[in-house]
């Protein structure tokens, strides 16, 4: 099924340094390699959707600088439609510093420009009726709430990627979503508890479907009967985890857009993210549909 998904939120330029071990609070580290490639939660999700066979479009903001031009070119090269992007005159586009160690762990420092106007009135919400799902991250709350409101009015899945270190208004985006999928730190930050199960119960008061990803420990979600259910992670040797959460959310939104039930969509997303972690090179490591379906068949 060639379904259509709009991804609302961040797309950045990632500057990635590979190091033997992540640095502590002080000192110096030597990088063994340096690469630049496209990143950002919503941007990466859009690329994952396109790689898996969906039609993806990115609705977001960049500055009128070389970074922004590179971000858009990177998305377009992956088959993501960017013609509905807003280019903000005089703004510095978002970018990030990523340290990735030999075990696949990473530390990320994101620069998010204050020059990117949060106004969401320009979003092409009339196009929502021609979509099959909407995904948004919690990096641009006004955009997420506007897109989710339109999606739910049209009866479409509205999937939130809720990570930590984002807007303190993130709960507004959760309340606008139909499906809110949290990282473990994101759930703890938004709902004020380090217990994922308690966090899910609190989040369930705000969104119809909630889940939390737990890395190697798999994921947990609130079932239809109100119980906490688990799915294990697919066993892979992690080489690079940068972007794995973004890939997970993109795959989940695609699966919902195709009509898969939520639990099947979670499993599809977990397989996609696991395969991404097995490779390196940023978006070059995102798997295609055949690879994901093969892993699912293997169980």
């Amino acid at each position: 099924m060639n379904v259509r998904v709009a991804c609302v939120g961040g797309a950045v330029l990632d500057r990635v340094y590979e190091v033997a071990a992540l640095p502590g609070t002080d000192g110096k580290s030597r990088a063994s390699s340096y690469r630049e490639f496209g990143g950002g939660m919503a941007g990466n999700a859009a690329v994952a959707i396109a790689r898996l066979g969906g039609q993806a479009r990115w609705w977001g903001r960049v500055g009128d600088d070389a970074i922004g031009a590179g971000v858009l070119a990177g998305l377009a090269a992956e088959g993501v439609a960017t013609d509905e992007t807003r280019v903000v005159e005089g703004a510095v586009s978002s970018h990030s510093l990523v340290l990735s160690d030999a075990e696949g762990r990473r530390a990320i420092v994101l620069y998010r420009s204050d020059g990117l106007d949060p106004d969401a009135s320009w979003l092409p919400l009339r196009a929502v009726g021609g979509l099959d799902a909407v995904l948004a991250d919690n990096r641009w709350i006004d955009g997420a709430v506007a897109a989710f409101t339109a999606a739910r009015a049209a009866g479409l899945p509205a999937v939130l990627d809720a990570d930590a270190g984002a807007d303190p208004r993130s709960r507004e985006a959760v309340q606008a979503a139909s499906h809110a999928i949290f990282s473990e730190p994101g759930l703890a930050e938004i709902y004020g508890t380090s217990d994922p199960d308690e966090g899910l119960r609190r989040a369930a008061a705000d969104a119809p479907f909630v889940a939390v990803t737990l890395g190697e420990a798999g994921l947990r979600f609130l079932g239809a009967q109100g119980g906490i259910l688990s799915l294990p992670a697919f066993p892979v040797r992690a080489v690079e985890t940068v972007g794995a959460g973004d890939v997970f959310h993109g795959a989940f939104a695609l699966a919902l857009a195709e009509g898969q039930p939520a639990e099947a969509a979670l499993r599809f997303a977990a397989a996609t993210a696991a395969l991404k972690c097995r490779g390196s090179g940023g978006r070059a490591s995102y798997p295609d549909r055949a690879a994901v379906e093969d892993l699912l068949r293997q169980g």
Side-chain angles (χ1 to χ4, degrees):
M1 295 175 63
N2 199 1
V3 298
R4 298 151 296 183
V5 183
C7 298
V8 182
V12 307
L13 177 70
D14 283 339
R15 294 173 167 144
V16 181
Y17 298 82
E18 291 189 0
V19 295
L22 298 181
T25 57
D26 197 6
K28 296 181 179 180
S29 299
R30 181 181 177 86
S32 59
S33 70
Y34 169 75
R35 294 165 293 160
E36 290 186 0
F37 40 73
M41 294 164 68
N44 283 345
V47 172
I49 289 166
R51 190 70 56 81
L52 293 167
Q55 292 183 27
R57 58 180 72 181
W58 180 65
W59 292 350
R61 306 153 297 158
V62 295
D64 61 343
D65 55 6
I67 295 174
V71 167
L72 295 180
L75 290 170
E78 296 285 354
V80 176
T82 62
D83 53 302
E84 294 159 322
T85 298
R86 186 180 184 195
V87 179
V88 181
E89 183 177 355
V92 177
S93 298
S94 298
H95 53 279
S96 63
L97 166 68
V98 181
L99 302 180
S100 181
D101 73 8
E103 300 300 320
R105 295 182 294 261
R106 82 275 195 227
I108 302 174
V109 179
L110 173 67
Y111 173 76
R112 192 179 308 117
S113 174
D114 292 334
L116 299 180
D117 187 351
D119 174 58
S121 62
W122 62 270
L123 281 171
L125 298 181
R126 291 182 180 179
V128 167
L131 301 175
D132 298 291
V134 170
L135 174 147
D137 60 37
N138 60 339
R139 298 305 191 223
W140 179 30
I141 302 302
D142 291 332
V145 170
F148 285 165
T149 301
R152 296 191 70 179
L156 302 179
V159 178
L160 175 65
D161 181 349
D163 202 359
D167 195 303
R169 296 169 52 214
S170 287
R171 193 166 175 181
E172 295 178 30
V174 178
Q175 293 166 341
S178 65
H179 298 72
I181 314 295
F182 302 84
S183 68
E184 187 174 8
L187 183 64
E189 180 179 279
I190 296 169
Y191 288 97
T193 175
S194 59
D195 180 352
D197 288 357
E198 177 59 25
L200 286 178
R201 293 187 184 97
R202 296 180 186 182
D206 288 337
F209 182 89
V210 294
V212 57
T213 58
L214 303 169
E216 293 179 356
L219 60 91
R220 292 174 74 75
F221 65 100
L222 202 65
Q225 304 303 317
I228 303 292
L229 305 176
S230 298
L231 283 177
F234 285 85
V236 295
R237 180 182 178 276
V239 174
E240 179 184 272
T241 61
V242 178
D246 310 334
V247 168
F248 181 99
H249 287 81
F252 180 76
L254 177 72
L256 290 182
E258 293 175 344
Q260 295 188 40
E263 186 168 350
L266 287 173
R267 191 165 182 268
F268 179 83
T272 306
L275 289 172
K276 181 268 161 291
C277 292
R278 196 169 63 181
S280 63
R283 292 171 177 170
S285 63
Y286 293 11
D288 60 18
R289 188 67 178 243
V292 174
E293 291 181 346
D294 184 58
L295 180 58
L296 288 170
R297 280 192 296 271
Q298 294 174 27

